[in-house]
Amino acid sequence: MNADIKRERENATFDIEKMTHILDGSPEKTKRRREIESLVFNDPDFDEEDPNFLSRSERYDQAVRKSAQMILKMREFGIADPEEIYHYKSMAKGTLQEALGLHFVMFLPTLNSQCDAQQAEKWLPLAESYQAVGTYAQTELGHGTHLRGLETTSTYDPATQEFVLNSPTVSSIKWWPGGLGKSSNHAIVLAQLHTLGRCHGLHAFIVPIRDMETHQPLPGIVVGDIGPKFGFNEVDNGFLKLENVRVPRENMLMKYAKVEPDGVYVKPPSDKLTYGTMVFVRSMIVGESYRALAKACTIAIRYSAVRHQSELRPGEPEPQIMDYQTQQYKLFPLLASAYAFAFVGQYMTQTYHRISGDISQGDFSQLPELHALSAGLKAFTTWEANFGIEVCRMSCGGHGYSRSSALPDIYVEFTPTCTYEGENTVMMLQTARYLVKSFRQARAGQRLSGIVSYLNEPQDRRLQPQAAGARPALVDVNDLSSLVAVYRLRAAALVEMAAKNIQQELQRRASQEEAWNNSAIDLVRASDAHCHYVVVKIFTEKLAEVRDPAVHSVLSTLALLYALNGITRNSGDFLLAGLLSVPQVLQISVRIKELLSQLRLNAVSLVDAFDIHDKKLNSVLGRYDGNVYEHMFQWARRSPLNATEVHDSFHKYLKPLRSKL
Amino acid sequence: MNADIKRERENATFDIEKMTHILDGSPEKTKRRREIESLVFNDPDFDEEDPNFLSRSERYDQAVRKSAQMILKMREFGIADPEEIYHYKSMAKGTLQEALGLHFVMFLPTLNSQCDAQQAEKWLPLAESYQAVGTYAQTELGHGTHLRGLETTSTYDPATQEFVLNSPTVSSIKWWPGGLGKSSNHAIVLAQLHTLGRCHGLHAFIVPIRDMETHQPLPGIVVGDIGPKFGFNEVDNGFLKLENVRVPRENMLMKYAKVEPDGVYVKPPSDKLTYGTMVFVRSMIVGESYRALAKACTIAIRYSAVRHQSELRPGEPEPQIMDYQTQQYKLFPLLASAYAFAFVGQYMTQTYHRISGDISQGDFSQLPELHALSAGLKAFTTWEANFGIEVCRMSCGGHGYSRSSALPDIYVEFTPTCTYEGENTVMMLQTARYLVKSFRQARAGQRLSGIVSYLNEPQDRRLQPQAAGARPALVDVNDLSSLVAVYRLRAAALVEMAAKNIQQELQRRASQEEAWNNSAIDLVRASDAHCHYVVVKIFTEKLAEVRDPAVHSVLSTLALLYALNGITRNSGDFLLAGLLSVPQVLQISVRIKELLSQLRLNAVSLVDAFDIHDKKLNSVLGRYDGNVYEHMFQWARRSPLNATEVHDSFHKYLKPLRSKL
């Protein structure tokens, strides 16, 4: 092991293993996760070429092979619990994606939840035995987040008792679904349902797209891969153009809405039923923000302990780059964010399970809050992690730009989370809608509960801009609960400001919609402040659960850094609302520097606690043993361009060039 | 042409062509640029497959072919002026890189500037006829920006009158030079010169690395490609390990320093001589920040005019996404930055030429200021553009993630500018060093001139934190010269704060170096504020040159948006220093929204004025005609995964899987 990184570990002030248990949830969970992971990293069938050395087609081929392999192995090992499946797969996939991902994440669950009994009997066995490999075709060339705008049509023909599906325009071509291009032989197609001359909006249809034996596209189906992307190149995201494709009436998913044989449409009992999945997926993405940022921090911080550069003190050896204050300032706040998001992810999962318990008993009362929370936190954490991964990459200098660092892969595979499952700005505005609505309810005298209860506070506690005064003195910048309060007041101030802005716009203009759009910048800011408050609050509350004093101490330092750094980055907000005074903001800057040097000692151990196996990380810079340069050299020698000493292009172009001059 | 984008153009309030002339420098320059560009886009030899559909090796092959082709064509057309070469090449390259880039940018210029007469006679004809294809090998696995740390050795052997070059450690392997891996047969190697038992620091040596006929690596040379990267995959960035490689004494570049045949070392007359190139390259990068951001804005803004989504007013057709305030707030400040950086780029080129005139007459007095300015503005503009390109990409939703948008390519090819030619944080600290030094000189009573003269201002005009009061009332947030002043005061305040911080650290601790490092966060902030002030100032001054009232009007709106947006993004600084009051900051937020809706009308025309040819842009989303979806579909069908209807992986893995379950 590299001597520097060894010394870093020896200097840790806390028990790394105990921290890992907290991040996993319990010692048992850590143990079980490692058992599952070891099934992959001890399995020679998962030894494979670095996908960075493969062509697109080889990369896809490797991913399909791995998908098939995972299915067989998990059956062999009896891995069936969703959490265990997650660990097994994420070890096998590393930073990359699964070719058949949508079959598991969308096709099977949709069949499960939206088939009636007869349909379930037919389709589930086909899907579970991979006779039917499926995907979920919703997004079109012209429409993403705005579902009502989707153009694909499914028109019922009572004469034959079939639906006729069509892509009436270029912009209606289905676009993006994972596994649609080459892998799937079925798709659940979302289309506008027309029957007896009326349109009943979006419904789901099972559409066979390829022959189950030959895998050739069926008549009327134009299907293929949408071409290379920033990342996800191991996945065949696809297009699907439907030309008078007929499917039997029974292929409409009919657990809720129905079309009778004669074409009569029967409405679903409630439209809140599909709401739950969306909320669940967004909650999961918060956890992904943690995991992606944790990977990036692991790589950048370990490398910063190994890399020596320049000089701090004349005549002394070159320092580790982690000794530079600017490097600490880039990385340690992100490390704090990774920890924060880990706990927010845990909170979201717990909340989801609690509330879905209520929902299954018919109590939808908490769904709007959960919906607003999951939308906002999905946007907040993915934006922050997205930005942070790139900071980590650039903090590794040139070597971060090499694919061998894994940082480019982590970024390109993570960045779509800002767009999919609800575009982030749209998500922030959805949360804002809930906040403004709650604010108005509170103003109308209604008593709010839950996470927005701070909007209840009497007017004199919600500070007006400029109406500061005595308050700032009350804030203790070293006390987390005091900081939670100040974040809460900032959120309240910004929600109020956005709501007032809408009011002013309404007084000037005609429509609600214009007033909303003309306040959108303020609304996004308000949502952002709300989410920021929630994250600081959850992180602070988590500390109360931690018994071990050494672990508690270092986690408190991280939480304090998270909270104070958020204040300096948004100091204008806190000053504008009169929540902090100028000397307090200056004091916070000083305090942040102290926290950075306190964390310096534990930085490597704090990323070790994420416990990301080298095989999963797949980064020469982030290796546990710190032996960076040797492995970078070994990796490079395997580059396909080095397969021959002299590349053909020399004979084709460079040598002939001389004679032409 | 798409009807929406046509209407946008009809609504323009200014003459696009006149704006293009301003961006190019003059109508003549626009005309000549277009003539040069048309040589490429009318040339069938440059019609080629989208590199996104190629493997790494094919991509490199294509780039070498193009390099050879460009050399021949430019000779044919007599293109020899550096600016014309730039236009020709950048049209041919699009967003990608040149395989032999370093031959032109570093190998030839270094030979030109550092060969003595005899060396020039030998090497220049070889290099100009491409018998010798070369690169510049400086960076090593273990060292980048800190040149003194480089480990490669070149030891003079008087017995044979040769230098013996070695890579003594793994970390000393040369790493990253473009064209080193496969293309070059020579490298200028930077190595620590040892002679007669003493080390004389870094010097440059011409090292043959491949046989000029067979292109096989020479004895003692281990050379190859460093493997795939985030971008630059058409370039063979390489490694070079030297094992007792002997070159004749005459292969040391000896225009300045020399080693006599007996091994006696002769010092160079001045070490400022190599300074100029570095400053020039950094100035050029500022121009690249403009061009990259202009490309990204062109794509995102045109697409935002074509894309319709969701609803603003119930019952009305879906609006163009550019009608959303949040979309305007993402894109228009970046559009303003692109214009700002265009003018900063022009300013840097002019300043460089002015000052290099002085230097050639032996007057080095302005070099430190130029050095500080180019370092800081390189970092400031590349960071901003880097961040901005990704905002543009994500503002295009899912489609921005497709390689067909060109946005991923623009990002990955641009982002290295934050690292190469001086890592950005190091650059900011170099600028800070100059600022602090100037501040101390001013305090010591010296009269500063040039761009830092604001540090001369009497103490009562440099506002202390909290010492606000009457001042804020003096700022007119609608007046650019008033805003320039407020940016200047912010820079002065932050430079002063950083300098004081160093002072306080010195009082507490022993060394200058520690005090510097413990103030590094503040120093970077001070540099950033200084650069921000310079950009606002240059943009404002540019307006004075613009005669056409309509063009002047829209440019003023952009400049005002640039200045005001910078204030809201850093409102804490302005409030802390007492430069603006709370009501002023709130007023600025309102004003920004007004400016956004003013710019809405001209947004497409403002990106049209960048005049980036479709062929250079290579983006289906950014097409001039706005026919996005049709071309996206056509592009996707050419994806290599669509070469066969059924991918082999179906037969290899998916079909067999069924029988195993």
Side-chain angles (χ1 to χ4, degrees), chain A residues 591-616:
Chain A
R591 191 76 186 93
I592 286 174
K593 293 182 199 171
E594 293 167 0
L595 295 172
L596 294 178
S597 54
Q598 277 176 40
L599 284 170
R600 167 68 187 82
L601 201 62
N602 282 313
V604 167
S605 306
L606 283 166
V607 298
D608 283 353
F610 295 138
D611 197 26
I612 304 166
H613 194 276
D614 271 353
K615 181 143 185 163
K616 191 166 168 179

mmCIF file of all heavy atoms in Angstrom, chain A residues 591-616:
data_model
loop_
_atom_site.group_PDB
_atom_site.id
_atom_site.type_symbol
_atom_site.label_atom_id
_atom_site.label_comp_id
_atom_site.label_asym_id
_atom_site.label_seq_id
_atom_site.Cartn_x
_atom_site.Cartn_y
_atom_site.Cartn_z
ATOM 1 N N ARG A 591 -14.747 30.236 10.308
ATOM 2 C CA ARG A 591 -15.088 28.942 10.909
ATOM 3 C C ARG A 591 -14.962 27.804 9.884
ATOM 4 O O ARG A 591 -14.506 26.712 10.219
ATOM 5 C CB ARG A 591 -16.520 29.024 11.443
ATOM 6 C CG ARG A 591 -16.946 27.889 12.320
ATOM 7 C CD ARG A 591 -16.355 27.996 13.727
ATOM 8 N NE ARG A 591 -16.683 26.800 14.505
ATOM 9 C CZ ARG A 591 -15.904 25.725 14.608
ATOM 10 N NH1 ARG A 591 -14.714 25.708 14.027
ATOM 11 N NH2 ARG A 591 -16.278 24.673 15.310
ATOM 12 N N ILE A 592 -15.366 28.081 8.646
ATOM 13 C CA ILE A 592 -15.266 27.060 7.595
ATOM 14 C C ILE A 592 -13.820 26.615 7.413
ATOM 15 O O ILE A 592 -13.528 25.421 7.295
ATOM 16 C CB ILE A 592 -15.863 27.592 6.268
ATOM 17 C CG1 ILE A 592 -17.394 27.611 6.367
ATOM 18 C CG2 ILE A 592 -15.423 26.743 5.074
ATOM 19 C CD1 ILE A 592 -18.097 28.253 5.183
ATOM 20 N N LYS A 593 -12.906 27.559 7.422
ATOM 21 C CA LYS A 593 -11.490 27.195 7.262
ATOM 22 C C LYS A 593 -11.031 26.298 8.401
ATOM 23 O O LYS A 593 -10.253 25.363 8.190
ATOM 24 C CB LYS A 593 -10.622 28.445 7.225
ATOM 25 C CG LYS A 593 -10.838 29.306 6.001
ATOM 26 C CD LYS A 593 -9.890 30.484 6.030
ATOM 27 C CE LYS A 593 -10.333 31.605 5.134
ATOM 28 N NZ LYS A 593 -9.527 32.810 5.346
ATOM 29 N N GLU A 594 -11.497 26.589 9.611
ATOM 30 C CA GLU A 594 -11.130 25.732 10.744
ATOM 31 C C GLU A 594 -11.683 24.311 10.555
ATOM 32 O O GLU A 594 -10.998 23.322 10.813
ATOM 33 C CB GLU A 594 -11.667 26.315 12.052
ATOM 34 C CG GLU A 594 -10.995 27.630 12.443
ATOM 35 C CD GLU A 594 -11.758 28.366 13.561
ATOM 36 O OE1 GLU A 594 -12.806 27.846 14.020
ATOM 37 O OE2 GLU A 594 -11.308 29.469 13.923
ATOM 38 N N LEU A 595 -12.923 24.250 10.094
ATOM 39 C CA LEU A 595 -13.537 22.931 9.888
ATOM 40 C C LEU A 595 -12.799 22.145 8.804
ATOM 41 O O LEU A 595 -12.615 20.931 8.910
ATOM 42 C CB LEU A 595 -15.014 23.083 9.519
ATOM 43 C CG LEU A 595 -15.908 23.686 10.602
ATOM 44 C CD1 LEU A 595 -17.302 23.964 10.044
ATOM 45 C CD2 LEU A 595 -16.004 22.742 11.806
ATOM 46 N N LEU A 596 -12.360 22.851 7.760
ATOM 47 C CA LEU A 596 -11.610 22.169 6.699
ATOM 48 C C LEU A 596 -10.345 21.535 7.269
ATOM 49 O O LEU A 596 -10.042 20.376 6.983
ATOM 50 C CB LEU A 596 -11.234 23.152 5.579
ATOM 51 C CG LEU A 596 -12.372 23.748 4.754
ATOM 52 C CD1 LEU A 596 -11.820 24.730 3.724
ATOM 53 C CD2 LEU A 596 -13.190 22.674 4.058
ATOM 54 N N SER A 597 -9.626 22.288 8.102
ATOM 55 C CA SER A 597 -8.380 21.676 8.587
ATOM 56 C C SER A 597 -8.665 20.591 9.629
ATOM 57 O O SER A 597 -7.907 19.635 9.734
ATOM 58 C CB SER A 597 -7.357 22.709 9.055
ATOM 59 O OG SER A 597 -7.914 23.550 9.986
ATOM 60 N N GLN A 598 -9.772 20.710 10.344
ATOM 61 C CA GLN A 598 -10.152 19.588 11.216
ATOM 62 C C GLN A 598 -10.451 18.323 10.412
ATOM 63 O O GLN A 598 -10.066 17.221 10.800
ATOM 64 C CB GLN A 598 -11.413 19.931 12.011
ATOM 65 C CG GLN A 598 -11.173 20.752 13.264
ATOM 66 C CD GLN A 598 -12.496 21.115 13.935
ATOM 67 O OE1 GLN A 598 -13.426 20.322 14.009
ATOM 68 N NE2 GLN A 598 -12.582 22.350 14.395
ATOM 69 N N LEU A 599 -11.130 18.496 9.301
ATOM 70 C CA LEU A 599 -11.525 17.324 8.502
ATOM 71 C C LEU A 599 -10.364 16.713 7.731
ATOM 72 O O LEU A 599 -10.404 15.538 7.361
ATOM 73 C CB LEU A 599 -12.646 17.704 7.532
ATOM 74 C CG LEU A 599 -14.024 17.846 8.175
ATOM 75 C CD1 LEU A 599 -15.000 18.470 7.185
ATOM 76 C CD2 LEU A 599 -14.555 16.482 8.632
ATOM 77 N N ARG A 600 -9.338 17.513 7.493
ATOM 78 C CA ARG A 600 -8.160 17.039 6.751
ATOM 79 C C ARG A 600 -7.672 15.680 7.269
ATOM 80 O O ARG A 600 -7.360 14.780 6.496
ATOM 81 C CB ARG A 600 -7.056 18.100 6.852
ATOM 82 C CG ARG A 600 -5.669 17.675 6.425
ATOM 83 C CD ARG A 600 -5.590 17.415 4.940
ATOM 84 N NE ARG A 600 -4.310 16.845 4.551
ATOM 85 C CZ ARG A 600 -3.999 15.560 4.654
ATOM 86 N NH1 ARG A 600 -4.885 14.705 5.126
ATOM 87 N NH2 ARG A 600 -2.835 15.116 4.275
ATOM 88 N N LEU A 601 -7.642 15.561 8.596
ATOM 89 C CA LEU A 601 -7.135 14.373 9.269
ATOM 90 C C LEU A 601 -7.949 13.121 8.936
ATOM 91 O O LEU A 601 -7.410 12.019 8.809
ATOM 92 C CB LEU A 601 -7.244 14.641 10.777
ATOM 93 C CG LEU A 601 -6.381 13.837 11.720
ATOM 94 C CD1 LEU A 601 -4.917 14.107 11.442
ATOM 95 C CD2 LEU A 601 -6.714 14.223 13.170
ATOM 96 N N ASN A 602 -9.251 13.296 8.813
ATOM 97 C CA ASN A 602 -10.141 12.148 8.650
ATOM 98 C C ASN A 602 -10.655 11.957 7.224
ATOM 99 O O ASN A 602 -11.459 11.049 6.979
ATOM 100 C CB ASN A 602 -11.346 12.307 9.573
ATOM 101 C CG ASN A 602 -11.007 11.962 11.012
ATOM 102 O OD1 ASN A 602 -10.379 10.932 11.263
ATOM 103 N ND2 ASN A 602 -11.380 12.821 11.950
ATOM 104 N N ALA A 603 -10.194 12.802 6.305
ATOM 105 C CA ALA A 603 -10.834 12.797 4.980
ATOM 106 C C ALA A 603 -10.777 11.417 4.314
ATOM 107 O O ALA A 603 -11.802 10.910 3.831
ATOM 108 C CB ALA A 603 -10.201 13.862 4.083
ATOM 109 N N VAL A 604 -9.597 10.805 4.276
ATOM 110 C CA VAL A 604 -9.481 9.502 3.617
ATOM 111 C C VAL A 604 -10.354 8.469 4.330
ATOM 112 O O VAL A 604 -11.044 7.667 3.695
ATOM 113 C CB VAL A 604 -8.005 9.045 3.536
ATOM 114 C CG1 VAL A 604 -7.907 7.567 3.160
ATOM 115 C CG2 VAL A 604 -7.240 9.898 2.529
ATOM 116 N N SER A 605 -10.343 8.509 5.649
ATOM 117 C CA SER A 605 -11.137 7.528 6.392
ATOM 118 C C SER A 605 -12.633 7.743 6.164
ATOM 119 O O SER A 605 -13.406 6.779 6.146
ATOM 120 C CB SER A 605 -10.816 7.632 7.879
ATOM 121 O OG SER A 605 -9.425 7.518 8.056
ATOM 122 N N LEU A 606 -13.025 8.995 5.993
ATOM 123 C CA LEU A 606 -14.441 9.263 5.731
ATOM 124 C C LEU A 606 -14.883 8.727 4.376
ATOM 125 O O LEU A 606 -16.037 8.312 4.221
ATOM 126 C CB LEU A 606 -14.726 10.762 5.840
ATOM 127 C CG LEU A 606 -14.826 11.290 7.281
ATOM 128 C CD1 LEU A 606 -14.761 12.815 7.319
ATOM 129 C CD2 LEU A 606 -16.114 10.802 7.953
ATOM 130 N N VAL A 607 -14.002 8.715 3.396
ATOM 131 C CA VAL A 607 -14.401 8.091 2.126
ATOM 132 C C VAL A 607 -14.245 6.576 2.198
ATOM 133 O O VAL A 607 -15.038 5.840 1.592
ATOM 134 C CB VAL A 607 -13.683 8.680 0.877
ATOM 135 C CG1 VAL A 607 -14.003 10.151 0.709
ATOM 136 C CG2 VAL A 607 -12.186 8.449 0.904
ATOM 137 N N ASP A 608 -13.272 6.105 2.953
ATOM 138 C CA ASP A 608 -13.172 4.648 3.163
ATOM 139 C C ASP A 608 -14.485 4.106 3.735
ATOM 140 O O ASP A 608 -14.902 2.995 3.406
ATOM 141 C CB ASP A 608 -12.033 4.318 4.139
ATOM 142 C CG ASP A 608 -10.650 4.413 3.490
ATOM 143 O OD1 ASP A 608 -10.578 4.595 2.252
ATOM 144 O OD2 ASP A 608 -9.645 4.312 4.227
ATOM 145 N N ALA A 609 -15.100 4.895 4.608
ATOM 146 C CA ALA A 609 -16.329 4.430 5.261
ATOM 147 C C ALA A 609 -17.469 4.190 4.262
ATOM 148 O O ALA A 609 -18.382 3.414 4.530
ATOM 149 C CB ALA A 609 -16.776 5.423 6.325
ATOM 150 N N PHE A 610 -17.407 4.825 3.089
ATOM 151 C CA PHE A 610 -18.427 4.532 2.063
ATOM 152 C C PHE A 610 -18.313 3.070 1.613
ATOM 153 O O PHE A 610 -19.250 2.511 1.053
ATOM 154 C CB PHE A 610 -18.265 5.448 0.843
ATOM 155 C CG PHE A 610 -18.520 6.909 1.112
ATOM 156 C CD1 PHE A 610 -17.683 7.889 0.569
ATOM 157 C CD2 PHE A 610 -19.601 7.318 1.877
ATOM 158 C CE1 PHE A 610 -17.917 9.240 0.790
ATOM 159 C CE2 PHE A 610 -19.838 8.680 2.101
ATOM 160 C CZ PHE A 610 -18.994 9.637 1.555
ATOM 161 N N ASP A 611 -17.106 2.522 1.808
ATOM 162 C CA ASP A 611 -16.879 1.088 1.566
ATOM 163 C C ASP A 611 -17.247 0.681 0.140
ATOM 164 O O ASP A 611 -18.003 -0.264 -0.082
ATOM 165 C CB ASP A 611 -17.695 0.258 2.579
ATOM 166 C CG ASP A 611 -17.184 -1.185 2.660
ATOM 167 O OD1 ASP A 611 -15.999 -1.430 2.368
ATOM 168 O OD2 ASP A 611 -18.000 -2.072 2.994
ATOM 169 N N ILE A 612 -16.686 1.408 -0.818
ATOM 170 C CA ILE A 612 -16.945 1.093 -2.224
ATOM 171 C C ILE A 612 -15.786 0.245 -2.730
ATOM 172 O O ILE A 612 -14.647 0.699 -2.785
ATOM 173 C CB ILE A 612 -17.086 2.384 -3.057
ATOM 174 C CG1 ILE A 612 -18.177 3.279 -2.457
ATOM 175 C CG2 ILE A 612 -17.400 2.043 -4.516
ATOM 176 C CD1 ILE A 612 -18.183 4.695 -2.988
ATOM 177 N N HIS A 613 -16.087 -0.970 -3.064
ATOM 178 C CA HIS A 613 -15.061 -1.919 -3.492
ATOM 179 C C HIS A 613 -14.347 -1.430 -4.758
ATOM 180 O O HIS A 613 -14.977 -0.835 -5.635
ATOM 181 C CB HIS A 613 -15.732 -3.273 -3.763
ATOM 182 C CG HIS A 613 -14.769 -4.405 -3.893
ATOM 183 N ND1 HIS A 613 -14.120 -4.699 -5.064
ATOM 184 C CD2 HIS A 613 -14.333 -5.302 -2.985
ATOM 185 C CE1 HIS A 613 -13.332 -5.742 -4.887
ATOM 186 N NE2 HIS A 613 -13.445 -6.132 -3.626
ATOM 187 N N ASP A 614 -13.031 -1.677 -4.824
ATOM 188 C CA ASP A 614 -12.248 -1.274 -5.995
ATOM 189 C C ASP A 614 -12.884 -1.729 -7.303
ATOM 190 O O ASP A 614 -12.864 -1.009 -8.299
ATOM 191 C CB ASP A 614 -10.834 -1.881 -5.927
ATOM 192 C CG ASP A 614 -9.859 -0.978 -5.171
ATOM 193 O OD1 ASP A 614 -10.244 0.158 -4.821
ATOM 194 O OD2 ASP A 614 -8.718 -1.416 -4.920
ATOM 195 N N LYS A 615 -13.424 -2.906 -7.282
ATOM 196 C CA LYS A 615 -13.997 -3.466 -8.508
ATOM 197 C C LYS A 615 -15.235 -2.682 -8.951
ATOM 198 O O LYS A 615 -15.511 -2.550 -10.138
ATOM 199 C CB LYS A 615 -14.359 -4.929 -8.258
ATOM 200 C CG LYS A 615 -14.943 -5.602 -9.456
ATOM 201 C CD LYS A 615 -14.482 -7.031 -9.552
ATOM 202 C CE LYS A 615 -14.994 -7.647 -10.839
ATOM 203 N NZ LYS A 615 -14.268 -8.858 -11.171
ATOM 204 N N LYS A 616 -15.953 -2.168 -7.973
ATOM 205 C CA LYS A 616 -17.149 -1.373 -8.266
ATOM 206 C C LYS A 616 -16.744 0.029 -8.719
ATOM 207 O O LYS A 616 -17.378 0.632 -9.572
ATOM 208 C CB LYS A 616 -17.969 -1.296 -6.984
ATOM 209 C CG LYS A 616 -19.348 -0.753 -7.082
ATOM 210 C CD LYS A 616 -20.064 -1.110 -5.774
ATOM 211 C CE LYS A 616 -21.362 -0.411 -5.573
ATOM 212 N NZ LYS A 616 -21.962 -0.866 -4.285
#
